[in-house]
Amino acid sequence: MRTRTARHGAAAAALFLALGPPTAAAAPVPRAPAAADRPGGDPASAGAALVARRAALAAASRGGAAGLDFHTCPDAEALPSTVRCATLSVPLDYARPDGPQISLTVSRAAATGARGAARQGALVQNPGGPGASGMHFPLVAELPGWERIAAAYDLVGYAPRGVGRSAPLSCRDPADRAQGPTREPVRPSPAYKMRRLAQAREYARGCARRAGAALPYYNTANNARDLHVLRAALGEERLTFLGASYGTYLGAVYATLYPRHVRRMVLDSAVDPDPRRIWYRGQLDQSRGFEARWHDFREWVARHHAAYGLGTTPAAVQAGYERVRDAVARTPAGGRVGTGELRAAYLQAAYYDDVWPARAAALAAFLRGDPSVLAAQAAPDPAAAAGAENATAVYTAVLCNDAPWPADWQTWDRDHTELARTAPFVTWANAFLNLPCASWPVRDRPSPVAVGARSERLPGTLVVAAERDGVTPYPGALELQRRLGPGVSLVTESGAGSHGVVGGRNGCVDRHVERYLLTGATPGWRARCAPHPEPAPVSLDDRAASAPRALLRPVV
């Protein structure tokens, strides 16, 4: 597989696939709202859900009639002439369909029709986050392995509400984001926790000040309704969808509420859709998953002691990491990489194994007296500050708006203190990232949609998961398959843990996905693929192997 071109590399690298920036909905036929559809259990909430559902139907009808006017993309999107752009108008509040409207940006690469392939419609992608833009998704048409899909489908990306130029959401001035170095204690003291709690409350207030009355409407339910309008505006009776990470939850909510409008869905690296885990418990699960993947990285480095000299056991590698952590706490690497930046850089190793060689080399170089390698990998990029602030704002708003969170600090402190005993690597960082939800200034947040609570059976659907994924742990894929029903197949990459399997380095998985998208055929209830090869210890780049996934995943 060839590398992505330099022309598009920087923009592609900005895409998200992960759940969160560390890093969750109305039916087509008139019927009484089921519990799964209700924002709340009371009659007033049920009535509001019915109003929103009918408004989404009306908006989809209008969108279908108006269509989309594709034209040359604005320079701000940094897209080539082969990709065309449009804007889609949707209601800010589906309960007031004739009220304020917002515009979502959409991109499309038309089906190539190569070798006489028959056009199968539009393939719409959501790369996750929440807070990710899919505007660069059409660029996968240029990549080896996507030729047959690009021949048959218009490849459609979009920026969900709040993201990029789609009614952008902001919670603070990007210039206020710490540019490094930051100092994160290994074991936060009570005083440090109180400072972070105060910061979280101020962040939540900043979201309310900047978004105003629009803040409650950034949520998964409205993302699903927007997707329904986009489907209609594309002229598609049924949706063909590729969702990754949070995009799997969005796809599952859409499938629950619009089952008759589902054609084919690939749900890659599945969020656990159990309402009890949306989202507070899910974040605890994620921290456990990150700990397991952190161990996988250290185990790999230990196996390659001859290349890196970091020790022959995971414990020895951990000791080396802690020496580096203690050193940057005293003297930040390059003046910009403190303990917070270090943790964020090495969290990437829990996401993707193709960064393992570079991260191991940075540790080794630092311990040999050269901090420049670590500084180059971990220092924050000021040019990316605005995009990072926007992504974090959308991530926070969607997760906080989607479901109730514990409001008392005692619950957070108890749960994370207990978890940090066995999963110390990222537990507290994850807690502080999500802590604004404890004081979120939106009342009457709904109960999460009960994914799968519907009478209609879905057409064949494909769930893809890596068995050791730490971002969206594997039990979530099993739960998603169970909830969506007997028409859903699960393809597992055994023994692997990179987040985002489709378009990565596993030919077996990609063949299943291509066959499904082109023919609708699924491999049965469950299928397994051998893991992709681990990265070579001396390859500090591995660009050729990871290029296709770089168009689908985040660098967070």
Side-chain angles (χ1 to χ4, degrees), residues 419-430:
L419 180 57
R421 294 189 180 103
T422 55
F425 178 52
V426 78
T427 288
W428 280 111
N430 222 2

Side-chain angles (χ1 to χ4, degrees), residues 25 53 71 118 161 200 225 230 291 310-311 317 332 337 354 377 452 487 537:
R53 184 161 51 254
H71 47 75
R161 61 171 60 203
R225 295 171 185 131
L230 175 59
E291 194 71 29
L310 291 169
V317 177
V337 176
D354 54 20
Q377 292 185 28

Side-chain angles (χ1 to χ4, degrees), residues 96-360:
R96 294 189 298 152
D98 297 321
Q101 305 289 300
I102 58 175
S103 292
L104 310 185
T105 59
V106 183
S107 60
R108 182 182 70 182
T112 65
R115 300 178 184 175
R119 182 182 178 279
Q120 295 201 39
L123 171 60
V124 181
Q125 189 241 13
N126 181 286
S133 173
M135 288 293 287
H136 285 80
F137 172 65
L139 295 182
V140 300
E142 303 176 6
L143 297 174
W146 289 84
E147 297 92 343
R148 295 180 67 195
I149 295 171
Y153 285 98
D154 298 341
L155 302 179
V156 176
Y158 72 108
R161 61 171 60 203
V163 178
R165 296 187 302 114
S166 295
L169 182 64
S170 174
C171 290
R172 64 181 178 184
D173 188 334
D176 294 339
R177 285 178 60 91
Q179 295 300 315
T182 57
R183 187 181 298 271
E184 292 182 353
V186 177
R187 297 175 185 84
S189 67
Y192 180 83
K193 292 175 184 178
M194 289 299 99
R195 286 198 300 273
R196 295 302 300 263
L197 179 60
Q199 290 169 3
R201 288 170 175 162
E202 177 55 31
Y203 184 85
R205 287 193 290 267
C207 295
R209 283 194 303 268
R210 287 174 167 258
L215 185 61
Y217 304 109
Y218 294 91
N219 55 48
T220 298
N222 282 333
N223 284 341
R225 295 171 185 131
D226 293 345
L227 187 58
H228 195 51
V229 178
L230 175 59
R231 170 203 57 76
L234 289 165
E236 303 294 335
E237 178 62 27
R238 295 186 297 157
L239 176 69
T240 304
F241 180 75
L242 169 58
S245 196
Y246 166 78
T248 67
Y249 182 62
L250 173 59
V253 169
Y254 184 95
T256 298
L257 302 176
Y258 298 95
R260 296 184 183 181
H261 286 280
V262 173
R263 179 177 179 267
R264 292 173 193 164
M265 280 192 169
V266 178
L267 305 177
D268 177 14
S269 303
V271 169
D272 189 332
D274 185 336
R276 295 169 296 181
R277 315 212 80 74
I278 303 296
W279 288 103
Y280 178 73
R281 291 291 169 190
Q283 296 304 300
L284 296 173
D285 295 340
Q286 187 184 69
S287 293
R288 293 186 189 94
F290 279 138
E291 194 71 29
R293 281 301 280 167
W294 175 237
H295 180 272
D296 290 350
F297 165 66
R298 292 183 288 120
E299 189 175 59
W300 177 87
V301 175
R303 290 201 305 272
H304 298 292
H305 173 68
Y308 299 113
L310 291 169
T312 59
T313 65
V317 177
Q318 177 71 25
Y321 173 82
E322 290 175 0
R323 289 197 298 275
V324 174
R325 185 184 65 202
D326 294 343
V328 300
R330 294 188 299 269
T331 306
R336 299 181 64 206
V337 176
T339 54
E341 291 75 28
L342 179 76
R343 187 264 312 155
Y346 281 84
L347 180 56
Q348 285 290 292
Y351 276 78
Y352 314 116
D353 60 21
D354 54 20
V355 307
W356 289 0
R359 294 296 187 267

Side-chain angles (χ1 to χ4, degrees), residues 352-442:
Y352 314 116
D353 60 21
D354 54 20
V355 307
W356 289 0
R359 294 296 187 267
L363 284 183
F366 191 102
L367 292 171
R368 290 196 303 266
D370 179 8
S372 66
V373 181
L374 176 63
Q377 292 185 28
D381 178 7
E389 192 282 325
N390 172 237
T392 302
V394 177
Y395 167 86
T396 304
V398 171
L399 267 63
C400 295
N401 283 331
D402 267 4
W405 289 70
D408 58 300
W409 165 247
Q410 290 75 17
T411 296
W412 291 73
D413 193 26
R414 180 198 66 224
D415 291 344
H416 290 87
T417 297
E418 180 180 353
L419 180 57
R421 294 189 180 103
T422 55
F425 178 52
V426 78
T427 288
W428 280 111
N430 222 2
F432 297 139
L433 172 68
N434 295 291
L435 192 52
C437 295
S439 54
W440 193 242
V442 173

